[in-house]
Amino acid sequence: MIVDFPLGESASDPSIIVDKITGEIFLFYNYMNLKLEKEVYYLHYVKSADNGKTWSKHVDITEQISKPEWHNNFKFITSGEGIQTNSGKLLHTLVNLENGLCVFGSDNHGETWYFIDNAIKPADESKIIELADGTLMINSRVNGLGYRYVHLSDDYGKTWTSKPDSALIDPSCNSSILNYSYEIEGESKSILIFSNLESKNKRENLSVKYSLDNGATWSKSKTIYAGSAAYSSLCVLQNGDIGLFFEKDNYTDNVFTSFSLNWLLAE
């Protein structure tokens, strides 16, 4: 058991960042005491230095990554995953339904945390990645729209440009995106891989697609699971394959599958 609270207290929406420099895994979650402060989340993490065999005591970073006046706002860390940038920064996203999305992070391997006080809208649950040129990209759920929004920053989150992406059909659900790096004949390449429910109004048809031009255009999708599904999270496995963890069958099952880059790129 990693986190276990008494009846009446909850931990929800887990997400991770792996610090590839220190080898530590940060597991974030949203804590609520339903008996004392129902609907108020506190923002916690635990960490592991031995690949998940043991975990630290929880650390409350609510005061570091939010404002006191946000106490009663419905705010939460996006489930799934954050990132480590090429410069070593740890970055993740925090949703505040009243004030918008913000990016939070650490420049010292999780010793302290901060947030960038610059609301990003429209955005609900969102995933952040770093492109090859250092640009930050956020891919966002927007409720009731039928497709995703994309936000870009070339100054580490001080300013953002936002645009809808109608090619990414979405029924208002959390998704996943990663920047996959690989080599062909000694030349470094990168490809964006995206997983979500390709449906405008139903939580079904979990699919994956890719972009070779940093999201300007997207491939046709490939269906992973045609039935009922929900949140998904992508990762890169040690053998270079892409791992995909997702909810299915009306939230009754959580499953893991994987596929190769060759399978994804094949016509």
Side-chain angles (χ1 to χ4, degrees), residues 31-137:
Y31 167 81
M32 183 181 293
N33 189 320
L34 287 85
K35 296 177 290 186
L36 298 179
E37 289 184 291
K38 189 176 181 180
E39 306 299 334
V40 175
Y41 276 129
Y42 290 83
L43 312 169
H44 290 186
Y45 76 80
V46 292
K47 67 179 181 178
S48 174
D50 55 12
N51 204 31
K53 294 178 182 178
T54 61
W55 293 87
S56 70
K57 293 182 179 180
H58 78 264
V59 179
D60 186 341
I61 56 172
T62 308
E63 293 185 356
Q64 296 182 60
I65 65 171
S66 66
K67 297 179 179 181
E69 56 265 35
W70 291 358
H71 179 74
N72 291 317
N73 291 168
F74 196 77
K75 61 187 182 299
F76 54 93
I77 298 171
T78 302
S79 64
E81 68 283 338
I83 63 165
Q84 184 172 41
T85 67
N86 289 327
S87 66
K89 290 177 182 285
L90 307 180
L91 297 177
H92 207 338
T93 60
L94 174 71
V95 182
N96 184 322
L97 293 184
E98 286 83 357
N99 289 281
L101 183 81
C102 71
V103 174
F104 73 92
S106 174
D107 293 342
N108 54 14
H109 305 289
E111 291 183 21
T112 58
W113 297 84
Y114 61 86
F115 77 100
I116 301 171
D117 190 8
N118 182 12
I120 302 162
K121 298 179 181 180
D124 196 297
E125 294 163 315
S126 302
K127 299 297 170 59
I128 186 169
I129 59 171
E130 183 183 32
L131 302 181
D133 65 357
T135 297
L136 297 179
M137 172 186 282

Side-chain angles (χ1 to χ4, degrees), residues 239-253:
N239 67 355
D241 285 353
I242 297 97
L244 178 59
F245 183 71
F246 65 97
E247 300 171 305
K248 65 188 281 280
D249 298 338
N250 293 314
Y251 314 100
T252 61
D253 205 2

Side-chain angles (χ1 to χ4, degrees), residues 209-244:
K209 59 182 64 175
Y210 66 88
S211 173
L212 298 173
D213 52 16
N214 288 330
T217 60
W218 291 92
S219 70
K220 292 182 179 180
S221 63
K222 289 192 172 183
T223 296
I224 298 292
Y225 187 70
S228 166
Y231 290 14
S232 61
S233 184
L234 292 161
C235 66
V236 180
L237 305 180
Q238 285 187 332
N239 67 355
D241 285 353
I242 297 97
L244 178 59

Side-chain angles (χ1 to χ4, degrees), residues 122-251:
D124 196 297
E125 294 163 315
S126 302
K127 299 297 170 59
I128 186 169
I129 59 171
E130 183 183 32
L131 302 181
D133 65 357
T135 297
L136 297 179
M137 172 186 282
I138 291 177
N139 186 289
S140 295
R141 163 185 176 173
V142 178
N143 292 330
L145 195 62
Y147 47 85
R148 311 284 295 180
Y149 246 79
V150 175
H151 314 275
L152 298 169
S153 175
D154 60 8
D155 54 13
Y156 267 100
K158 294 178 182 178
T159 59
W160 294 89
T161 58
S162 303
K163 61 179 181 179
D165 192 340
S166 58
L168 300 180
I169 296 170
D170 189 78
S172 303
C173 190
N174 200 359
S175 68
S176 187
I177 187 170
L178 62 81
N179 188 355
Y180 182 98
S181 299
Y182 62 103
E183 286 191 2
I184 295 181
E185 298 179 350
E187 184 179 358
S188 296
K189 300 280 188 178
S190 65
I191 178 174
L192 302 188
I193 302 175
F194 180 70
S195 68
N196 83 319
L197 309 178
E198 193 173 60
S199 170
K200 286 190 175 182
N201 50 33
K202 292 183 179 180
R203 290 195 168 188
E204 62 184 15
N205 192 30
L206 179 71
S207 303
V208 292
K209 59 182 64 175
Y210 66 88
S211 173
L212 298 173
D213 52 16
N214 288 330
T217 60
W218 291 92
S219 70
K220 292 182 179 180
S221 63
K222 289 192 172 183
T223 296
I224 298 292
Y225 187 70
S228 166
Y231 290 14
S232 61
S233 184
L234 292 161
C235 66
V236 180
L237 305 180
Q238 285 187 332
N239 67 355
D241 285 353
I242 297 97
L244 178 59
F245 183 71
F246 65 97
E247 300 171 305
K248 65 188 281 280
D249 298 338
N250 293 314
Y251 314 100

